Amino acid sequence: MVKRSLSSLRPGNRHGAPWRPMLLLPLILALQACGARPPARQLEVWTLQLSPRFDPYLNGLVEQWEARNPDIDVRWTDIPWGAVEQKLLAAVFARTAPDVVNLNPKFAARLASRGGLLNLDEHVSPEERDRYLDGAWQASTGPMGTFGIPWYLTSRITLANGELLAAAGYRQPPTRWQDLPAFAEAVKQATGRHALFVSVAPEDSTEILESFVQMGVKLLDEQKRAAFDTPAGRRAFAFWTDLYRRGLLPREVVSQGHRRAIELYQSGDLALLSTSGASLATIRTNAPAVAARTQVAPPLTGPDGSANVAVMNLVVPEQSDQPEEAVDFALFLTNPANQYEFAKASGALPSASEAMVALRQDVGQARQRLTPEDDVTAQALSAQETSLGALESARVLVPADPEIKQLQAVIYNHLQQAMLGQLSPEEAVEAAAAAWNRHGRQSP
């Protein structure tokens, strides 16, 4: 039977029941007389697609935290990626929201902008905040204050098919967007295959938006009006339009997402895969021959070398009736020691500075112990080293603005029209800016 906390019966709580301590006093005395204790309070925690792989790790941390807080039971629930937004919105609407939730900053920003999340600036001390990398912390900060505590990070790297590189006359893949067209042309002429898959499906990755920022495009101004109808914006639209019209991108980039990029790379039909280091293990399992000829390289960036970092955070819904305990659990889960252990187990990067330093030391020591015959470990270490290196110049390129998904849809839809020859790149930029300023900001 699910336990209910006594504190959950106070006025204004998510259950809405009145607080009547005099009615509960006889029950408490009766329980004490029988040698039993009152039911423990319950802290409900949701994570995103970490079970069953990380069950031992998370169950161990829950037990440690409960030992420190013996009057509270943690109820941990793992939610599939695709279900969390709908499930959380339904829980908020029904006033049954959990106390701690694992989210990405973009969705969290939408909730925070509507007053749905606790402002953590009022609950986290400056000393606690200083544990985290500044860029990671800023990813969950906006006009509404700090709405999330950073947990684990992902920085992109490039996986390159060495066989396709060699056929195109390259020893290393390009590292700047400006060099991609010549590389893509060389790959296509030499092999008939494509260099890269970057999705322009509106509901998928923000990688195109990130590339715009790397190319010097400002997306929105201070009044949230379109700021991309500029020479830089027109060049960015023309860059992707030209690649597509010349047949240098797979036709399905306008309709399919990043999953298709992985499929094409694993089948040997893609020279480059922009992904995280964690994908390497999957490719080894699904396509060992392709993995064996894969090289690890830094991510594609703009002129200043800025890479993107993706952040997963922990938030506390405003409805939580035990916010101090919820914040304490989130800080415990993301402290340097626990982040270090999670990074070692998952291949993700920690957002705590001290954990990052320890991880770098581990990689260096493992590199020293490496034998020439251990190709698999060497490749995995290269991926980890490259990810850590990318993080040095990484930042959140597309801010966690509550309207960013609507902006992405407007830009991607018009970029698609340019790619398909329905508009020129210049017309697409102008139409996208007008559509955003006229309708986009009011979209639900």
Side-chain angles (χ1 to χ4, degrees), residues 243-254:
L243 282 175
Y244 187 81
R245 290 187 184 180
R246 289 167 60 193
L248 300 180
L249 292 175
R251 295 184 61 83
E252 59 265 43
V253 297
V254 297

Side-chain angles (χ1 to χ4, degrees), residues 218-354:
K218 184 176 181 181
L219 299 176
L220 297 175
D221 63 18
E222 289 69 21
Q223 285 73 46
K224 300 294 182 69
R225 292 179 60 83
F228 54 84
D229 187 5
T230 61
R234 289 188 283 275
R235 285 193 297 271
F237 264 70
F239 177 90
W240 291 109
T241 298
D242 183 62
L243 282 175
Y244 187 81
R245 290 187 184 180
R246 289 167 60 193
L248 300 180
L249 292 175
R251 295 184 61 83
E252 59 265 43
V253 297
V254 297
S255 59
Q256 298 192 45
H258 184 67
R259 184 183 298 274
R260 181 59 176 158
I262 296 174
E263 292 171 352
L264 288 172
Y265 187 81
Q266 290 181 161
S267 66
D269 293 320
L270 207 62
L272 307 180
L273 178 63
S274 177
T275 188
S276 68
S279 298
L280 193 53
T282 303
I283 294 169
R284 272 198 222 101
T285 300
N286 296 339
V290 172
R293 54 181 180 263
T294 290
Q295 299 174 204
V296 178
L300 284 156
T301 67
D304 66 354
S306 293
N308 185 66
V309 60
V311 180
M312 291 301 292
N313 62 19
L314 294 170
V315 305
V316 176
E318 183 67 37
Q319 289 180 14
S320 174
D321 52 21
Q322 38 200 350
E324 295 303 325
E325 293 84 352
V327 171
D328 183 73
F329 182 85
L331 290 171
F332 174 75
L333 195 60
T334 62
N335 73 30
N338 291 332
Q339 282 212 38
Y340 170 69
E341 294 298 331
F342 185 71
K344 288 200 301 180
S346 67
L349 302 175
S351 63
S353 305
E354 188 178 331

Side-chain angles (χ1 to χ4, degrees), residues 108-115 117-122 140-147 224 400-402:
R110 286 174 52 198
L111 291 178
S113 70
R114 294 171 170 82
L117 299 180
L118 198 68
N119 183 352
L120 297 171
D121 290 330
E122 302 167 4
S140 297
T141 300
M144 68 293 289
T146 299
F147 52 82
K224 300 294 182 69
D401 190 287

